[in-house]
């Protein structure tokens, strides 16, 4: 299993927050999970609501556990709500199937983890998160 380093996780967060400021987004919260769904790093900007950690983690957790991007998981939820309901039950309610969850792969295509971004619209969250992943020289699937 490919490992995401602490340095890469922090780099992803810094670049995601920078992109959010460039886009003039609402305050963001960003989490990076490893390939097993464990937290590597998290930051919540000043002004972001305190509950944003769970939302960011839920977006990232869903994509890393299913191997699907946030947008693909969202489409699946719309097309097959029963499947995502059952999936969420299997994962103790930890999955938030909306954009802003980005699967992270290395250049060889191995899953390294996921980033979850929350604070603005889900689509804007995904754009900022993709910028963070790409800035770290990794491949993202939003």
């Amino acid at each position: 299993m490919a490992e995401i380093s602490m340095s890469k996780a922090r780099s992803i967060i810094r670049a995601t927050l920078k992109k959010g400021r460039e886009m003039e987004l609402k305050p963001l919260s960003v989490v990076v999970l490893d390939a097993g769904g464990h937290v590597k790093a998290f930051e919540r900007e000043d002004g972001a609501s305190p509950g944003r950690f769970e939302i960011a983690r839920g977006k990232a957790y869903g994509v890393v556990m299913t191997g699907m991007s946030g947008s693909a998981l969202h489409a699946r939820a719309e097309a097959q709500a029963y499947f995502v309901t059952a999936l969420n039950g299997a994962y103790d309610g930890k999955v938030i199937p909306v954009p802003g969850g980005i699967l992270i792969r290395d250049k060889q295509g191995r899953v390294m983890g996921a980033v979850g971004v929350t604070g603005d619209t889900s689509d804007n969250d995904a754009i900022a998160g993709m910028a963070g992943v790409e800035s770290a020289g990794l491949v993202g699937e939003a």
Side-chain angles (χ1 to χ4, degrees), residues 29-33 37-39 42 51-66 68-71 73-74 84 87-88 91-103 114-118 122:
S29 294
V30 185
V31 68
V32 177
L33 306 182
H38 305 285
V39 176
F42 170 75
R52 291 292 176 173
F53 170 77
E54 294 298 340
I55 298 169
R57 184 174 63 167
K59 289 181 177 188
Y61 192 80
V63 300
V64 80
M65 288 297 138
T66 63
M68 289 189 255
S69 68
S71 59
L73 193 54
H74 183 247
V84 174
L87 177 75
N88 216 356
Y91 289 119
D92 298 322
K94 295 179 186 174
V95 174
I96 299 181
V98 296
I102 298 140
L103 196 61
V115 61
V117 183
T118 184
S122 291

Side-chain angles (χ1 to χ4, degrees), residues 5-24:
S5 69
M6 180 63 71
S7 175
K8 285 278 186 189
R10 289 180 175 160
S11 173
I12 291 166
I13 290 173
R14 279 191 308 273
T16 298
L17 295 176
K18 180 180 177 194
K19 182 66 172 180
R21 297 296 51 85
E22 289 170 3
M23 294 173 64
E24 299 182 359

Side-chain angles (χ1 to χ4, degrees), residues 26-29 44-50 52 119:
K26 294 176 185 172
L28 299 178
S29 294
R44 180 174 59 90
E45 288 187 302
D46 293 344
S49 63
R52 291 292 176 173

